[in-house]
Amino acid sequence: MRRVKVDEAVAGQRVARALYYPNGAAMLAAGAALTPAAIQRLAQAGYRDLYVLEEGAEGVDGRDLIIEAARAPMARKLAAFFKSVRDTIGRAAGIEAADEPNTVSEKLANPDVRKAVKSLRFVEAMSGPDLDAFFDGIALEKDAPMVTGMPRTDASHHVDHALNVAARSVMVARRLGWAPRECRELCVGALLHDVGYHVLPEEIVKTAPGQQMHPAAGYHILRSDTGLSLLCAHCAYQHHERFDGRGIPRRLVGMQTLSARDSTGPGSMHRYASVIAVSDVFDLLTSGFPDGWAMRDDEALQLMRNESGKALHPDGLKAFLALTPPYPVGLEVEVLDSEWAGCTGIVASVTAGSMDRPAIKVLRSGGAPLPKAVDIDLAKTETSFRPRGTK
C-alpha cells in the first residue's frame, strides 16, 4: 500500500482504501482498478491523493483511525446533520458576512433560532448504533502506530476533520486513563467542535473572520435546547484556546494536568478542550485546510513539539506523540546510505517503541522495480532515510 498523488496515479493501479463522495456515498471500493475516467473523477471531486496497492508490498496494511465499516455510516450521518444545521439553523439565524461577533451571538439567541436548534434533535443525531459503532471502531493504543491518514477533498473536509479529531481525541483520552463515559462524552464534543462553521456564510468559512467566529457560534448553538452535555458546548467554545492563555475567544489558560481527578477552575480550559485542541491542530496541519497547503506528518509533529507548553498542553501533546507515527505506513521514502542508497520504497510498519525509525520495504532502484523487495528495520540499523521528494 502506497500513498500517491492523484496527478501521479496510473490507470491499472488498484485502490487500496475505499474513496467516497462528500456525502459519504462510495466512489471507488478497495481493490477497484483505476481507469482514466476514475482518475479524472477523483481530481474533479477534489482528491489530492489516494492509497494504491503496491507490487512487492501486498502484505503492507496500514489501518484507518476508525474501521471502515464504522467510518462510512458515521460520515454519511454527520454530512446529513451538518447540512441540516446549515439549512435549518443557518437559515433561521440569517448571519451575514459583515456581522460583528456580538451580532452573531444575538442572532443565535433569537427565540426562532432556538426553536430551529431544538427541532434538529441533537441527542438523537449524536447517539444510536452509528455512534456506538464509531466509538467502538476507534483504533486501540496497540494499533495506533499503524494508523495512516485518510485522503479527503475540500468538500468533505468538515466531516472527515470531525471524525478524525474525535477519534484521535478518544485515543489520547484513553491513554490518559479517562473513564469510558468521559471518553464517549469527549467523542461527541469533538464531533461537534466545529459545528459553528455550519451557520456562518460559506464565503467567510475559510477566512480569518470565520475562524475567529466559529467557536462562539458553536457554543451558542450547543449550550441549550440540544439536550447534550454543556461540556459539548465548551468543546466547541474552547478548542482554539491555548495552554498559555493567548487563544481565542476568551484567553483561557490550560490546567496544570489533564488528570481525570482535576476539575476546571475559573479562567481555565476544560481538559476535554485541551485534548481536542491537540488533535485539531494536527489534522489541520496535515489536511491543508483552509489554505490547501498540507504538511507531512513529521513536519506537523515537529511544529507541535515546539508548541508544547505554549499553544498545546504538554500532557495532551505527550500522549498524542506516543500514538502518532511521524512516518506513517504507506509513505514513500528514499534510502540515503548503505548498499541501498538512492533506492526508494515505502514505510511498511511502525512500532510504539521506535516511532521515528519504522520498518521499510525497498522496492525500486532508479525508478525500476527490484527483483525482490528488501526489508530494512531502521530501528535495528543506522541506515538514513527521508520522505521521497524532500532535501
Side-chain angles (χ1 to χ4, degrees):
M1 185 184 82
R2 176 166 61 102
R3 194 164 186 164
V4 300
K5 294 180 179 179
V6 168
D7 58 10
E8 295 177 354
V10 178
Q13 289 178 318
R14 305 189 81 82
V15 176
R17 182 175 290 173
L19 298 166
Y20 299 88
Y21 289 105
N23 64 2
M27 178 186 291
L28 286 171
L34 289 173
T35 63
I39 295 171
Q40 183 179 30
R41 192 160 69 248
L42 288 171
Q44 289 172 342
Y47 276 105
R48 293 192 289 268
D49 49 28
L50 73 155
Y51 288 99
V52 297
L53 297 173
E54 180 80 328
E55 186 175 352
E58 291 82 357
V60 174
D61 182 21
R63 292 153 205 170
D64 191 0
L65 282 165
I66 314 107
I67 60 172
E68 185 178 339
R71 177 188 278 273
M74 195 65 202
R76 288 192 293 271
K77 183 172 187 174
L78 209 55
F81 185 69
F82 286 161
K83 184 177 186 302
S84 295
V85 169
R86 180 170 296 282
D87 292 346
T88 304
I89 303 174
R91 183 178 292 121
I95 296 169
E96 299 177 356
D99 283 347
E100 296 292 328
N102 287 343
T103 304
V104 172
S105 298
E106 290 170 3
K107 287 184 173 181
L108 291 172
N110 182 285
D112 289 337
V113 175
R114 302 318 303 175
K115 288 180 183 178
V117 172
K118 194 170 184 177
S119 73
L120 288 189
R121 302 181 181 275
F122 275 72
V123 170
E124 293 180 16
M126 292 293 109
S127 60
D130 288 340
L131 183 67
D132 293 342
F134 174 80
F135 185 75
D136 293 340
I138 294 170
L140 300 175
E141 185 172 344
K142 66 181 179 64
D143 299 317
M146 293 294 286
V147 162
T148 61
M150 181 69 182
R152 70 180 74 180
T153 71
D154 284 346
S156 69
H157 168 78
H158 284 295
V159 169
D160 291 329
H161 178 66
L163 297 175
N164 289 352
V165 170
R168 291 191 184 277
S169 296
V170 169
M171 292 168 69
V172 169
R174 290 191 308 222
R175 185 172 177 86
L176 291 169
W178 295 2
R181 176 191 61 78
E182 294 176 310
C183 292
R184 190 180 177 91
E185 189 174 42
L186 170 69
C187 182
V188 174
L191 286 170
L192 295 174
H193 77 280
D194 272 345
V195 71
Y197 273 128
H198 299 284
V199 298
L200 300 179
E202 292 190 29
E203 62 266 27
I204 71 166
V205 165
K206 291 187 177 183
T207 67
Q211 293 171 56
Q212 291 282 329
M213 274 192 258
H214 80 272
Y219 171 74
H220 287 294
I221 292 168
L222 297 174
R223 68 184 172 84
S224 61
D225 304 320
T226 63
L228 297 174
S229 163
L230 183 60
L231 288 178
C232 292
H234 281 285
C235 289
Y237 207 9
Q238 298 181 24
H239 70 278
H240 283 309
E241 300 288 355
R242 293 168 49 109
F243 180 78
D244 61 11
R246 297 170 58 195
I248 60 170
R250 294 188 294 160
R251 293 183 172 271
L252 304 179
V253 297
M255 299 166 61
Q256 287 303 302
T257 75
L258 294 180
S259 166
R261 295 185 297 274
D262 294 339
S263 59
T264 302
S268 297
M269 291 177 71
H270 192 275
R271 54 195 168 88
Y272 288 9
S274 289
V275 166
I276 290 172
V278 175
S279 300
D280 182 62
V281 166
F282 179 77
D283 197 73
L284 291 176
L285 290 176
T286 55
S287 70
F289 184 88
D291 57 15
W293 185 79
M295 288 185 177
R296 297 192 315 270
D297 290 21
D298 62 301
E299 294 174 322
L301 292 174
Q302 184 54 55
L303 186 151
M304 292 169 69
R305 287 188 187 95
N306 295 340
E307 290 297 324
S308 179
K310 293 182 279 189
L312 304 175
H313 197 295
D315 290 355
L317 179 59
K318 181 179 179 181
F320 188 89
L321 292 172
L323 296 165
T324 311
Y327 307 107
V329 172
L331 177 71
E332 195 165 12
V333 296
E334 178 186 359
V335 181
L336 300 179
D337 49 34
S338 80
E339 62 183 300
W340 305 109
C343 294
T344 58
I346 62 170
V347 173
S349 66
V350 186
T351 59
S354 55
M355 282 287 209
D356 60 346
R357 299 289 294 173
I360 65 173
K361 278 188 178 291
V362 182
L363 301 169
R364 290 172 294 279
S365 176
L370 295 174
K372 184 179 179 181
V374 176
D375 294 312
I376 302 178
D377 187 344
L378 296 172
K380 298 178 180 178
T381 75
E382 295 183 357
T383 303
S384 301
F385 76 106
R386 65 186 175 194
R388 183 172 176 265
T390 62
K391 296 180 179 180

